[in-house]
Amino acid sequence: MARQMHLSFSAHLTGAHPAGWLHPSTQLDADTDIGAYIGLARLAEQGCFDMFFIADTPAARTTNLTAWARYPMFMNALEPLTALTAIAGATKYIGLGGTCSTSFTEPYNVARQFASLDHISRGRAAWNVVTSANDFAAQNFGHAKLPPHADRYARAREFVEVAKALWDTWEDDAFIHDRAQGLFFDPGKQHAVHHDGPHFKVDGALNIARSPQGRPVIIQAGASDAGKALAAETAEVVFGSAIDIEAGRAFYGDLKGRMAAFGRATDSLKILAGMPVVVGESQQEADDKHAELQAMVHPDVGRQRLSTDLEVDLTQLPLDEPVPEDLIPKTSNFHKAYFDEIVRMIRVEKLTLRQLYTRYERGTRSVRGTPQRVADVLEDWFSTGAADGFMFILHLQPKSLEDIVRYVVPELQRRGLFRTGYTGTTLRDHLGLARPANRHAKAAE
Ligand SMILES: Cc1cc2nc3c(=O)[nH]c(=O)nc-3n(C[C@H](O)[C@H](O)[C@H](O)COP(=O)(O)O)c2cc1C
């Protein structure tokens, strides 16, 4: 069969757009309403999506609260693994991905939780491995600031290594449940982990059987060199954040090109380009929908978003004068892709602060148009080496997802670019990823 796209979406409950919650179509208390999460997951499942995804950062902001009150991202949300567990019981096929930071957790807990989700969902779990990108999270876990970028990634690398070893502590057929012999498990099929590294010491075994997918699917979304290095070695799905198709192709080629050094085939990693999409019956309607929301962004929010992502305080700058270049920090410590985009707009386009925040879309440019035009853009990315699929970032929920499922998915299906029904039951089946063999069973072959 011809290669087909993989589709996922990020479940910002009132919409990913900073003014989404102000739109009358969104449900204001959806962030803690599991029914709203389940509704979105079922809708995506009707659209045959590969995965439903919940982003996370383990902190609510505690400063500039007036600005954050106007843009409440991550200020009120269900903890992803808990929410995904409930969603698992209310869906059948769709993959369930969630973020968990390696900077503030221990491998044993995370390996155990995601193995549990994989069992509960019968093989649909995925873990987005992030190192976190704000000091608010660090301050909840005994650090004054986020540890340096390189240290976070070194810890993340060792973290994934330990988690994978823990997921292999039991061979697939270890739990024999043999009443005749009186053995619940085969003692020869446990392989305890003895890890003694710079960040973690683990001397023991996971107390849960190897999960349906062997191990959960590993997702990564870093754009930095260290992020790409970690992804090339360990990730099976990567969320891209390229600003346009050329940057998308460069990212795709770069990342897939790094995999050979780790002995990995390029199709064992699927790159899903982060893609804000606005669908309309006409181009004008799609543009108007977008403009309506952009105009609803409050100046405090505009300043706050830019200050966060440029990692410098812009709150005192006048709105209608160009942003001075000498304010730009030398390097970014948080989100490199977002930082680079703002720097480019300041240097090249010489925008005023107001123009900058009205134009700024956090690392991407929204694709707006009719279902045919949106499908054209996706097809272009997919067929010219810029993506294996897409991670939709949607302005409003559930409206924007309904537009994708009702209008864009059928158009992709008509073109033979997307499945018309699920052919497997696990997330690995949907993504076309092999189930990894247990390293100890392999050694014994
Ligand atoms: C689609 C998408 C989803 C992401 N989800 C999260 C998230 O849930 N939590 C988080 O801390 N970072 C998230 N990120 C950010 C990245 O994982 C990464 O932390 C960030 O790009 C900084 O890493 P870098 O310095 O390697 O670029 C996401 C990025 C993308 C493109």
Side-chain angles (χ1 to χ4, degrees):
M1 201 191 18
R3 176 175 165 255
Q4 291 192 320
M5 293 177 181
H6 301 288
L7 300 184
S8 175
F9 88 107
S10 192
H12 300 273
L13 269 291
T14 48
H17 192 281
W21 71 276
L22 292 167
H23 194 275
S25 72
T26 51
Q27 181 191 330
L28 287 169
D29 63 355
D31 295 306
T32 50
D33 174 7
I34 191 63
Y37 288 71
I38 288 171
L40 290 175
R42 285 185 172 155
L43 181 58
E45 194 169 72
Q46 281 165 25
C48 304
F49 272 45
D50 294 71
M51 184 166 66
F52 171 93
F53 172 73
I54 305 181
D56 190 53
T57 193
R61 269 75 175 177
T62 53
T63 56
N64 294 322
L65 286 184
T66 309
W68 286 111
R70 299 187 192 283
Y71 172 36
M73 185 179 72
F74 294 131
M75 297 301 272
N76 178 29
L78 293 178
E79 188 283 314
L81 271 152
T82 318
L84 292 171
T85 304
I87 297 164
T91 52
K92 198 161 175 207
Y93 295 102
I94 192 163
L96 303 169
T99 293
C100 187
S101 174
T102 53
S103 297
F104 314 115
T105 52
E106 285 279 325
Y108 194 94
N109 301 120
V110 174
R112 189 179 181 204
Q113 287 165 332
F114 275 95
S116 297
L117 180 63
D118 206 39
H119 279 287
I120 292 166
S121 64
R122 303 191 192 286
R124 296 185 281 141
W127 168 32
N128 182 29
V129 180
V130 305
T131 68
S132 289
N134 70 66
D135 289 336
F136 296 100
Q139 285 155 11
N140 288 333
F141 298 92
H143 307 270
K145 289 176 79 61
L146 204 60
H149 194 268
D151 295 0
R152 298 201 311 269
Y153 270 103
R155 180 181 162 104
R157 189 181 172 282
E158 189 181 334
F159 196 118
V160 174
E161 183 189 329
V162 177
K164 281 183 172 171
L166 286 166
W167 286 320
D168 275 352
T169 54
W170 296 98
E171 290 184 39
D172 285 307
D173 54 355
F175 288 84
I176 48 178
H177 305 140
D178 187 336
R179 283 184 173 137
Q181 281 195 76
L183 287 176
F184 197 76
F185 61 83
D186 177 345
K189 298 207 166 174
Q190 188 206 68
H191 305 276
V193 174
H194 306 291
H195 178 91
D196 187 354
H199 300 91
F200 305 107
K201 296 193 192 335
V202 176
D203 200 6
L206 209 59
N207 56 348
I208 183 165
R210 200 154 189 270
S211 71
Q213 295 190 101
R215 58 173 181 255
V217 171
I218 305 276
I219 310 173
Q220 240 275 302
S224 63
D225 220 47
K228 285 187 279 195
L230 179 66
E233 184 176 358
T234 64
E236 297 167 293
V237 168
V238 163
F239 298 147
S241 49
I243 184 127
D244 55 28
I245 192 166
E246 286 78 30
R249 283 190 204 117
F251 178 78
Y252 188 99
D254 177 10
L255 186 50
K256 297 243 174 174
R258 292 170 185 243
M259 295 174 70
F262 301 102
R264 298 185 65 198
T266 52
D267 66 355
S268 65
L269 163 63
K270 308 294 176 186
I271 298 180
L272 308 189
M275 191 66 73
V277 172
V278 184
V279 185
E281 276 187 41
S282 62
Q283 184 64 44
Q284 190 61 49
E285 189 191 276
D287 288 338
D288 289 350
K289 277 187 187 175
H290 180 71
E292 181 193 355
L293 280 173
Q294 289 296 88
M296 286 161 81
V297 175
H298 193 281
D300 287 356
V301 175
R303 283 198 176 99
Q304 175 68 22
R305 290 184 94 203
L306 292 171
S307 298
T308 304
D309 290 344
L310 191 60
E311 301 177 32
V312 64
D313 185 1
L314 303 175
T315 49
Q316 303 309 318
L317 283 191
L319 280 177
D320 295 308
E321 289 171 31
V323 179
E325 285 192 32
D326 58 10
L327 271 180
I328 300 172
K330 283 198 181 60
T331 53
S332 90
N333 187 37
F334 299 145
H335 290 276
K336 187 177 180 324
Y338 304 160
F339 179 91
D340 288 349
E341 182 195 355
I342 301 172
V343 171
R344 189 195 58 78
M345 289 200 285
I346 295 173
R347 290 227 166 98
V348 180
E349 299 186 48
K350 316 261 183 228
L351 301 182
T352 67
L353 192 61
R354 193 193 302 273
Q355 288 167 331
L356 197 58
Y357 79 68
T358 310
R359 192 87 63 82
Y360 181 54
E361 294 190 66
R362 264 210 137 188
T364 37
R365 263 180 221 142
S366 53
V367 173
R368 306 190 283 272
T370 60
Q372 290 71 27
R373 156 138 165 83
V374 171
D376 287 347
V377 173
L378 302 184
E379 183 168 4
D380 206 15
W381 279 66
F382 177 69
S383 60
T384 65
D388 296 310
F390 301 94
M391 171 64 174
F392 292 122
I393 318 276
L394 300 173
H395 281 10
L396 300 173
Q397 296 295 8
K399 244 177 171 327
S400 310
L401 182 63
E402 283 165 9
D403 289 344
I404 302 273
V405 170
R406 288 206 189 127
Y407 306 115
V408 178
V409 165
E411 180 60 28
L412 295 171
Q413 289 169 332
R414 253 192 301 280
R415 299 181 189 195
L417 293 167
F418 189 57
R419 68 174 71 85
T420 52
Y422 291 103
T423 52
T425 57
T426 70
L427 177 57
R428 289 185 183 279
D429 291 338
H430 309 333
L431 290 167
L433 294 172
R435 183 180 188 277
N438 183 299
R439 68 189 71 182
H440 307 290
K442 236 174 156 178
E445 272 166 13

